[in-house]
Every structure is written in structure tokens, then in C-alpha cells.
Amino acid sequence: MVAETHAAGPIILQSLVNACPKLKRLHWKPKDIMQVLPSSWSLILASSSLATSLEVLEIMSSPSAVANDPPPTPAPQLELPSLHCLQVSVDDVNSSLTAVIAKQWQLPSLTSLYLQSTYDSTYTLQNNLGITLSPSATSLIETHGQSVTTLAIDRRAACYIPLHILPPAPVQEFVYYMYGLQQSKSVPFTAVSTLVLLMDMDRDSPLTKAIWRALEQLRKLQDYSLPKLEKVVILSWPLDELKEPHPIDIRLLAETERLLVDPWQQETRRLVNRNGVRLFTLVETDQN
């Protein structure tokens, strides 16, 4: 096995593999001393029964870069025929692993891909201090995206990955961050039927404010070609508590407000919270 600066990582991983030969889910969130080089991931998995039993693999990177690691060693080809869900960090410190997964791992059963980052998400797409996660995300989607039906890019990663630079993929369910959607020029996933968006709102924000914030920001969807979109799910603290559609008096709406609510009156396109409750319903309040 390749000698590694953080030797505890491969030792622990190998011990885990030996002790649990039929493991179906592996979540690896290491401290710095537990980092595992890409070649070791491939070697350890390929030499164990996990190569055929593993169904869910989650590999998170340490928030801090790993310094003084030896030059990368070529990793062997690896096939994980049962793996249907992969979650991986696309941070720069994990770029060598994502490159190996993209180029040398065969994942014929993969249907769910989750990309995450440990970077500070307060930076914007326009001012990200030179950090870009796009190459890692792009390479993974190019190689494995054609079988993926669910793609999730977490809040932090979305601040560094504008959608318009990603390659097309037949994704049907897409999870993303509302801010990132506002900054993207296009959405390459035209087969999407369910769009899940995280929207930042204080937990004690008024419900009406949260609904109108969602409607205003979703106006951006009109710029995209999403012919199969049927449902948009908004994840936000105030909206999570909604038990039934919030009534909005149609007679009190200004013309600009009508333009915001009209797209969501169709039966073929629903706007809901995480529990599937429509965010609003239009009513006519009795003025007498």
C-alpha cells in the first residue's frame, strides 16, 4: 500500500473493510489524520467484498487542505456495480479523489449524486476569491451523470458552481440553492421534473414575507427551458411550518404580483413546501 502522510486513514479504512465485509453504506468524514489518498481508496475497495456489496458511499473532505502529501500514485480501475448513491466533496483538497472517481471508477448503477463543499458559503459567485469547484463537479457529471436521476449540490458548493457551466444530464430531481439559481445563466438539466431549492430566511420571518420572497426569486425560472418541470419544493424555516395553503386575496394583488402568482395556478406545476403543501391559494375575501 502507498505510504501516506496521514497513515491512520488507510489503516482504519482497511480495518473497517475487514470487519464489515458485507457493508452496504459507508460514510467517511475524516479528521486530518484520517485522510485517505485516492489510490488507497481504489486499492482497498477493489481488494475487498465491498466492491460488490457497497450501495451508498459518502466521502467528505477535511475543511483544511492536506499539506505535504506525496505525489499522487496512479489508482487502479475500480468497478462498484451495486453503488447507487455517491456523496462526495468537490473542494480543491479533494480534487484528486474526484478526478479518480470520474476517470477510473465504473459506477453502472449510480442514480443519485450529491456534491458538497466545506468552503465558506458567504462568498458569492462573482467574488469567490479565486476558488472554483467547477472542474470537479463538471468531470463527475460528464462521466457518471448520464445514469443519474437525482443530483444535489449543497448550499456551500452552489455558491461556487454556476449551473450554466455544467454539462447536460438527464437529471429528473435537482436540489440546489436559491441564490445560485439567481446567478446562473441557464439550467442544463432540461429533463428536471422536481426542483428543490433552499431559500435563506430567518426562522421567525413572517409567513407572507417568505411566500412573496419565494415567488419573486422564482421569476428567474421564466428565463430557463424546463419543459418537464412539475413541482418546485422550497426548503425554508417559515414555510416548513405550513400545514395548508396560505390564502392570498386575489382582489388585493397589484398587476406585478399577479404575474408572480399566475404560473403556480396551473395543475401541471406546483409550488410546495417540504411536506408537499402548496404555499398559497388565491381567494376572494368577502368585503362586506
Side-chain angles (χ1 to χ4, degrees):
M1 183 176 298
V2 178
E4 303 189 28
T5 304
H6 306 282
I11 293 174
I12 294 173
L13 179 60
Q14 185 69 66
S15 299
L16 177 65
V17 168
N18 293 339
C20 307
K22 296 183 179 180
L23 193 68
K24 292 187 176 182
R25 177 177 179 176
L26 174 57
H27 179 86
W28 189 262
K29 188 176 182 180
K31 302 292 185 180
D32 284 349
I33 62 170
M34 291 173 59
Q35 295 294 331
V36 178
L37 293 180
S39 56
S40 291
W41 271 108
S42 297
L43 286 168
I44 291 172
L45 292 179
S47 63
S48 73
S49 60
L50 262 63
T52 55
S53 69
L54 205 58
E55 298 179 3
V56 178
L57 178 59
E58 301 160 332
I59 307 176
M60 307 297 102
S61 70
S62 170
S64 57
V66 179
N68 303 317
D69 271 337
T73 301
Q77 295 288 328
L78 172 67
E79 182 173 0
L80 301 174
S82 300
L83 193 77
H84 62 79
C85 179
L86 173 65
Q87 181 174 352
V88 64
S89 166
V90 290
D91 291 344
D92 287 346
V93 297
N94 221 33
S95 60
S96 57
L97 176 60
T98 55
V100 166
I101 293 174
K103 296 178 181 179
Q104 297 179 299
W105 287 20
Q106 302 299 314
L107 308 174
S109 301
L110 189 70
T111 57
S112 300
L113 178 61
Y114 298 84
L115 308 180
Q116 77 161 39
S117 170
T118 57
Y119 286 131
D120 186 345
S121 60
T122 58
Y123 302 129
T124 67
L125 286 169
Q126 294 90 357
N127 182 26
N128 60 13
L129 303 185
I131 298 171
T132 175
L133 309 184
S134 302
S136 291
T138 299
S139 62
L140 287 170
I141 295 173
E142 281 180 343
T143 306
H144 302 298
Q146 298 311 305
S147 65
V148 168
T149 57
T150 299
L151 172 64
I153 300 178
D154 82 347
R155 181 180 186 276
R156 292 180 176 182
C159 288
Y160 302 94
I161 303 176
L163 294 180
H164 53 266
I165 58 87
L166 296 179
V171 175
Q172 297 174 24
E173 181 180 37
F174 181 47
V175 183
Y176 199 56
Y177 180 35
M178 184 75 87
Y179 172 80
L181 185 71
Q182 301 300 307
Q183 305 303 317
S184 298
K185 299 176 183 178
S186 62
V187 178
F189 313 126
T190 56
V192 165
S193 60
T194 300
L195 178 62
V196 182
L197 295 169
L198 170 64
M199 184 178 73
D200 288 333
M201 291 288 289
D202 292 335
R203 192 163 194 166
D204 58 353
S205 295
L207 178 59
T208 302
K209 180 179 179 181
I211 291 173
W212 283 110
R213 169 77 66 82
L215 289 170
E216 289 169 358
Q217 296 192 352
L218 287 173
R219 179 162 42 188
K220 182 72 172 178
L221 288 180
Q222 299 175 16
D223 299 336
Y224 305 141
S225 175
L226 297 172
K228 297 185 178 181
L229 184 64
E230 297 176 355
K231 179 172 64 175
V232 175
V233 183
I234 305 296
L235 306 182
S236 183
W237 284 115
L239 302 178
D240 291 347
E241 306 300 323
L242 198 62
K243 304 299 183 185
E244 59 184 22
H246 181 72
I248 295 178
D249 192 334
I250 191 172
R251 292 181 296 184
L252 300 180
L253 295 180
E255 184 61 30
T256 54
E257 293 172 329
R258 284 177 177 266
L259 294 176
L260 296 179
V261 302
D262 282 348
W264 307 105
Q265 295 307 297
Q266 309 169 30
E267 285 300 320
T268 57
R269 183 169 288 192
R270 297 184 296 133
L271 178 61
V272 301
N273 68 1
R274 71 168 69 239
N275 300 313
V277 178
R278 285 183 180 268
L279 298 194
F280 69 92
T281 183
L282 296 181
V283 299
E284 292 189 16
T285 305
D286 188 356
Q287 298 296 310
N288 297 326

XYZ file of all heavy atoms in Angstrom, residues 77-80 83-84 86 88 97-113 115 136-151 167-171:
353
model
N -8.128 0.769 -11.823
C -9.529 0.824 -12.212
C -10.369 0.130 -11.149
O -9.948 -0.858 -10.555
C -9.735 0.135 -13.559
C -9.050 0.824 -14.724
C -9.738 2.132 -15.103
O -10.943 2.262 -14.971
N -8.958 3.097 -15.588
N -11.551 0.670 -10.882
C -12.417 0.108 -9.854
C -13.850 0.102 -10.360
O -14.331 1.105 -10.883
C -12.331 0.942 -8.564
C -13.322 0.599 -7.454
C -13.033 -0.784 -6.883
C -13.276 1.656 -6.355
N -14.537 -1.012 -10.189
C -15.956 -1.084 -10.517
C -16.746 -1.372 -9.258
O -16.418 -2.296 -8.499
C -16.243 -2.166 -11.558
C -17.725 -2.211 -11.941
C -18.037 -3.147 -13.081
O -17.091 -3.777 -13.595
O -19.217 -3.255 -13.467
N -17.781 -0.564 -9.026
C -18.683 -0.750 -7.892
C -20.084 -0.983 -8.472
O -20.874 -0.057 -8.609
C -18.666 0.482 -6.980
C -17.307 0.862 -6.378
C -17.409 2.178 -5.624
C -16.796 -0.231 -5.465
N -23.294 0.178 -6.361
C -23.363 1.535 -5.808
C -24.404 2.360 -6.562
O -24.278 2.590 -7.765
C -21.999 2.222 -5.908
C -21.880 3.518 -5.092
C -21.684 3.179 -3.616
C -20.714 4.380 -5.584
N -25.436 2.807 -5.846
C -26.470 3.635 -6.482
C -26.476 5.063 -5.967
O -27.134 5.934 -6.556
C -27.858 3.011 -6.302
C -28.300 2.881 -4.868
N -28.801 3.939 -4.141
C -28.300 1.809 -4.032
C -29.104 3.524 -2.925
N -28.807 2.248 -2.820
N -23.808 8.192 -4.461
C -22.467 8.688 -4.154
C -22.562 10.129 -3.673
O -23.159 10.974 -4.339
C -21.572 8.625 -5.395
C -20.178 9.266 -5.256
C -19.334 8.514 -4.234
C -19.468 9.306 -6.609
N -19.946 13.152 -2.371
C -18.517 13.444 -2.324
C -18.284 14.945 -2.261
O -19.054 15.735 -2.813
C -17.799 12.826 -3.548
C -18.297 13.466 -4.839
C -16.294 12.926 -3.425
N -9.196 13.044 -5.651
C -10.124 11.930 -5.495
C -11.260 12.026 -6.502
O -11.634 11.031 -7.131
C -10.684 11.886 -4.075
C -11.750 10.819 -3.824
C -11.195 9.429 -4.100
C -12.291 10.912 -2.404
N -11.829 13.217 -6.670
C -12.925 13.351 -7.629
C -12.452 13.052 -9.049
O -13.206 12.506 -9.861
C -13.555 14.758 -7.571
O -12.544 15.752 -7.764
C -14.220 14.998 -6.221
N -11.184 13.380 -9.337
C -10.640 13.068 -10.663
C -10.542 11.563 -10.868
O -10.853 11.045 -11.949
C -9.268 13.714 -10.826
N -10.120 10.849 -9.824
C -10.021 9.394 -9.922
C -11.404 8.770 -10.069
O -11.616 7.864 -10.887
C -9.300 8.819 -8.677
C -9.497 7.301 -8.587
C -7.828 9.149 -8.727
N -12.375 9.268 -9.293
C -13.744 8.740 -9.389
C -14.291 8.962 -10.800
O -14.938 8.089 -11.380
C -14.654 9.415 -8.348
C -14.235 9.011 -6.936
C -16.113 9.035 -8.584
C -14.990 9.740 -5.835
N -14.007 10.143 -11.346
C -14.527 10.470 -12.676
C -13.875 9.629 -13.773
O -14.546 9.182 -14.706
C -14.326 11.951 -12.959
N -12.570 9.397 -13.653
C -11.844 8.773 -14.755
C -11.664 7.264 -14.612
O -11.558 6.553 -15.622
C -10.461 9.428 -14.887
C -10.519 10.898 -15.268
C -9.116 11.491 -15.326
C -9.159 12.976 -15.679
N -7.794 13.573 -15.712
N -11.623 6.763 -13.364
C -11.206 5.367 -13.187
C -12.196 4.501 -12.423
O -11.966 3.317 -12.267
C -9.836 5.333 -12.495
C -8.748 5.982 -13.346
C -7.397 5.969 -12.659
O -7.222 6.542 -11.599
N -6.447 5.292 -13.271
N -13.283 5.088 -11.942
C -14.298 4.277 -11.262
C -15.451 4.013 -12.229
O -15.965 4.943 -12.860
C -14.819 4.977 -10.019
C -13.842 4.990 -8.868
C -12.501 4.809 -8.930
C -14.167 5.206 -7.497
N -11.950 4.919 -7.683
C -12.938 5.159 -6.772
C -15.341 5.452 -6.802
C -12.879 5.335 -5.391
C -15.287 5.637 -5.429
C -14.060 5.564 -4.734
N -15.878 2.788 -12.289
C -17.049 2.412 -13.074
C -18.233 2.263 -12.112
O -18.181 1.451 -11.184
C -16.800 1.107 -13.820
C -15.594 1.139 -14.754
C -15.744 2.196 -15.838
O -16.810 2.310 -16.458
N -14.694 2.956 -16.071
N -19.288 3.045 -12.342
C -20.447 3.055 -11.439
C -21.719 2.835 -12.266
O -22.520 3.756 -12.459
C -20.514 4.389 -10.683
C -19.229 4.823 -9.960
C -19.398 6.226 -9.380
C -18.860 3.832 -8.871
N -21.952 1.626 -12.754
C -23.058 1.386 -13.684
C -24.449 1.534 -13.083
O -25.416 1.733 -13.832
C -22.812 -0.067 -14.133
C -22.044 -0.684 -13.014
C -21.153 0.409 -12.498
N -24.573 1.437 -11.749
C -25.887 1.514 -11.110
C -26.159 2.860 -10.456
O -27.195 3.034 -9.806
C -26.027 0.398 -10.058
O -25.872 -0.871 -10.637
N -25.250 3.819 -10.630
C -25.388 5.099 -9.949
C -26.629 5.863 -10.419
O -26.805 6.094 -11.617
C -24.146 5.959 -10.181
C -24.067 7.251 -9.348
C -23.831 6.923 -7.879
C -22.950 8.160 -9.871
N -27.474 6.260 -9.464
C -28.659 7.055 -9.789
C -28.733 8.353 -9.003
O -29.470 9.264 -9.387
C -29.948 6.253 -9.527
O -29.972 5.832 -8.155
C -30.028 5.042 -10.435
N -27.983 8.457 -7.904
C -28.029 9.655 -7.059
C -26.618 10.163 -6.814
O -25.748 9.411 -6.357
C -28.707 9.351 -5.717
O -30.034 8.910 -5.905
N -26.401 11.451 -7.105
C -25.094 12.075 -6.927
C -25.250 13.340 -6.104
O -26.038 14.222 -6.465
C -24.476 12.399 -8.293
C -23.110 13.095 -8.307
C -22.058 12.219 -7.633
C -22.701 13.427 -9.736
N -23.124 16.478 -4.365
C -21.869 17.224 -4.337
C -21.915 18.256 -3.230
O -22.873 19.023 -3.133
C -21.639 17.906 -5.690
C -21.747 17.007 -6.922
C -21.491 17.820 -8.186
C -20.799 15.824 -6.831
N -14.188 19.845 -10.747
C -14.533 18.583 -10.100
C -15.977 18.202 -10.381
O -16.280 17.059 -10.730
C -14.317 18.688 -8.586
O -12.957 18.786 -8.266
N -16.876 19.173 -10.230
C -18.290 18.901 -10.462
C -18.535 18.535 -11.918
O -19.278 17.589 -12.222
C -19.123 20.120 -10.078
N -17.903 19.252 -12.822
C -18.097 19.007 -14.247
C -17.626 17.610 -14.644
O -18.317 16.886 -15.369
C -17.347 20.062 -15.079
O -17.860 21.356 -14.761
C -17.516 19.807 -16.571
N -16.443 17.225 -14.150
C -15.902 15.922 -14.531
C -16.767 14.778 -14.019
O -16.979 13.780 -14.719
C -14.461 15.769 -14.019
O -14.415 15.822 -12.595
N -17.295 14.913 -12.798
C -18.148 13.867 -12.248
C -19.455 13.735 -13.030
O -19.915 12.626 -13.322
C -18.456 14.156 -10.780
C -17.305 13.931 -9.790
C -17.673 14.477 -8.424
C -16.965 12.448 -9.693
N -20.045 14.875 -13.381
C -21.311 14.843 -14.110
C -21.104 14.354 -15.541
O -21.918 13.600 -16.082
C -21.972 16.230 -14.093
C -22.365 16.594 -12.653
C -23.204 16.251 -14.992
C -22.863 18.007 -12.496
N -20.005 14.756 -16.159
C -19.717 14.294 -17.523
C -19.599 12.785 -17.578
O -20.117 12.138 -18.499
C -18.414 14.935 -18.026
C -18.566 16.360 -18.510
C -17.250 16.931 -18.978
O -16.187 16.372 -18.636
O -17.278 17.948 -19.689
N -18.913 12.209 -16.579
C -18.637 10.774 -16.617
C -19.802 9.938 -16.121
O -20.166 8.929 -16.727
C -17.395 10.451 -15.765
O -16.308 11.252 -16.198
C -17.029 8.985 -15.888
N -20.382 10.337 -15.000
C -21.392 9.500 -14.346
C -22.805 10.070 -14.419
O -23.750 9.431 -13.960
C -21.008 9.275 -12.883
C -19.668 8.633 -12.691
N -19.384 7.372 -13.175
C -18.528 9.076 -12.078
C -18.123 7.061 -12.868
N -17.596 8.074 -12.206
N -22.940 11.261 -14.963
C -24.236 11.938 -14.934
C -25.307 11.341 -15.808
O -26.495 11.565 -15.585
N -24.916 10.556 -16.817
C -25.922 10.060 -17.759
C -26.834 8.998 -17.159
O -27.887 8.690 -17.726
C -25.239 9.519 -19.013
C -24.455 10.570 -19.781
C -25.254 11.844 -20.025
O -26.355 11.798 -20.583
N -24.726 12.975 -19.593
N -26.456 8.443 -16.006
C -27.327 7.484 -15.325
C -27.990 8.088 -14.089
O -28.834 7.450 -13.469
C -26.525 6.244 -14.909
O -25.532 6.583 -13.941
N -27.608 9.308 -13.765
C -28.085 9.942 -12.525
C -29.463 10.559 -12.732
O -29.681 11.330 -13.672
C -27.089 11.020 -12.053
C -27.690 11.880 -10.958
C -25.808 10.358 -11.556
N -30.385 10.221 -11.858
C -31.722 10.821 -11.897
C -31.907 11.875 -10.807
O -32.768 12.743 -10.927
C -32.814 9.748 -11.745
O -32.605 9.020 -10.522
C -32.774 8.787 -12.916
N -31.109 11.787 -9.731
C -31.155 12.780 -8.652
C -29.778 13.395 -8.470
O -28.801 12.686 -8.206
C -31.608 12.150 -7.319
O -32.925 11.620 -7.454
C -31.613 13.201 -6.210
N -29.706 14.710 -8.610
C -28.458 15.442 -8.417
C -28.685 16.518 -7.375
O -29.637 17.298 -7.475
C -27.998 16.084 -9.731
C -26.797 17.044 -9.638
C -25.539 16.298 -9.196
C -26.560 17.746 -10.972
N -22.281 20.314 -17.585
C -22.729 19.622 -18.796
C -24.159 19.117 -18.644
O -24.632 18.893 -17.526
C -21.748 18.444 -18.896
C -21.338 18.187 -17.484
C -21.297 19.530 -16.811
N -24.874 18.919 -19.743
C -26.238 18.380 -19.673
C -26.245 16.973 -19.092
O -25.284 16.220 -19.230
C -26.685 18.368 -21.139
C -25.767 19.324 -21.832
C -24.460 19.239 -21.110
N -27.338 16.640 -18.424
C -27.524 15.301 -17.872
C -29.027 15.084 -17.705
O -29.768 16.034 -17.459
C -26.806 15.145 -16.537
N -29.494 13.831 -17.812
C -30.934 13.558 -17.727
C -31.455 13.538 -16.288
O -32.186 12.625 -15.896
C -31.049 12.188 -18.401
C -29.746 11.527 -18.095
C -28.720 12.627 -18.151
N -31.086 14.541 -15.530
C -31.488 14.627 -14.120
C -32.987 14.920 -14.038
O -33.492 15.819 -14.719
C -30.696 15.741 -13.403
C -31.192 15.931 -11.977
C -29.205 15.410 -13.424
